[in-house]
Amino acid sequence: MSQPFDPLAVASAVQQNFATMTEAELGDLIADDCVVHEAPSLPFGGDWVGPSGFAALMRAIMGTFLEFSVEPGSIFSDGKDMLAFQCTLHGRTAKGSFTMPLVEYWRFGDGKVKEIHAMWHDSKQVCDLL
Amino acid sequence: MTFEDKIAVMRAVESLMHEGRISEIATLVHPDFVVHEDPGMPYGGVYRGPDGFVQLVSNVVAAWQDLRTECLSFLDEPGGDGILLIIRNSGKAPGSGKPVEVLTSEYWRIVDGTLREGRVWYYDSPAAAAALTEGLA
């Protein structure tokens, strides 16, 4: 008997293992037509589609910074199909380091992640450090 | 406060803003209030207290021509004081007259009916800031 769908469990699994999950593992959680929206001004900006797009985005982010880590924060829910996560990002480039809050909106459908919007609190600072 | 209580406070702030009764928003803001606007926006920075919040709203209204704010979703922080809003801001750039639209997220911590803390994110603040300031001296 299958477990009831738990958006928080899905999101937590992805967030805690985003840097190491294979595309096959991501495919169990992320829909084929899922779109992750990153601000076009960022070096890894644009729309990333499906599990392979998600994995490529993670590689792009990890490859942008000399160091990068995520400190989990509060979780929010609309009680229906959307969760939001606040977290604090720590990163370092050759020009300097940054610490900034990020918020992400995750929309779910048919038991998987369907859409993610990422909002960095100060995208300009990130761009200036690259 | 319940989720519905938090939404009611934010609806009250939104109504006062849209009705141009900006100074009255101060009655919903705690003296220790602090809000962090994206530093990359024309009105970015840290604003404190009721007067600071009124100043921020005034700065936002001045930076946009014909600003419209449409709240797309409210999200609750279960067991906490927070609420997140997903908002579509649209209007025109004052200098160029060109249309500008940006997806925004607002976090508010609300205790006993007053705002205590806020933080605002934009989907792409460098692009939004450039669009809003185009054509300005």
Side-chain angles (χ1 to χ4, degrees), chain A residues 36-42 46-47 74-79 82-87 101-103 105 117-124 127, chain B residues 3 36-40 73-78 82-87 103-108 119-128:
Chain A
V36 184
H37 305 277
E38 285 280 2
S41 294
L42 292 168
D47 290 347
S74 299
I75 298 171
F76 301 80
S77 169
D78 72 347
M82 192 175 288
L83 290 178
F85 303 88
Q86 265 188 354
C87 58
L102 172 97
V103 65
Y105 293 94
H117 277 93
M119 298 188 195
W120 298 56
H121 185 62
D122 187 355
S123 299
K124 182 177 183 300
C127 295
Chain B
F3 187 29
H36 302 263
E37 263 284 351
D38 185 322
S73 295
F74 292 99
L75 293 93
D76 191 27
E77 181 184 23
I83 185 171
L84 267 176
L85 285 63
I86 305 175
I87 295 171
L103 196 62
T104 306
S105 173
E106 297 181 354
Y107 163 79
W108 302 103
R119 186 175 292 277
V120 185
W121 290 262
Y122 296 81
Y123 174 60
D124 192 340
S125 56

Side-chain angles (χ1 to χ4, degrees), chain A residues 94-123:
Chain A
K95 290 184 180 179
S97 60
F98 65 87
T99 294
M100 82 175 56
L102 172 97
V103 65
E104 286 186 347
Y105 293 94
W106 293 46
R107 188 171 58 79
F108 296 83
D110 301 325
K112 292 188 177 182
V113 184
K114 295 287 282 186
E115 187 176 27
I116 299 173
H117 277 93
M119 298 188 195
W120 298 56
H121 185 62
D122 187 355
S123 299

Side-chain angles (χ1 to χ4, degrees), chain B residues 13-25:
Chain B
V13 172
E14 182 184 31
S15 294
L16 291 170
M17 183 174 165
H18 285 167
E19 293 166 11
R21 298 158 61 190
I22 294 174
S23 63
E24 294 177 49
I25 296 174

Side-chain angles (χ1 to χ4, degrees), chain B residues 14-65:
Chain B
E14 182 184 31
S15 294
L16 291 170
M17 183 174 165
H18 285 167
E19 293 166 11
R21 298 158 61 190
I22 294 174
S23 63
E24 294 177 49
I25 296 174
T27 61
L28 299 169
V29 180
H30 191 271
D32 295 334
F33 171 81
V34 60
V35 59
H36 302 263
E37 263 284 351
D38 185 322
M41 292 299 285
Y43 38 83
V46 180
Y47 298 78
R48 298 182 187 279
D51 291 345
F53 189 67
V54 169
Q55 184 63 58
L56 169 58
V57 174
S58 299
N59 291 350
V60 171
V61 171
W64 291 73
Q65 182 181 328

Side-chain angles (χ1 to χ4, degrees), chain A residues 21-32 51 112:
Chain A
M21 291 181 84
T22 66
E23 289 184 22
E25 291 170 329
L26 288 168
D28 291 336
L29 308 172
I30 293 175
D32 289 342
K112 292 188 177 182

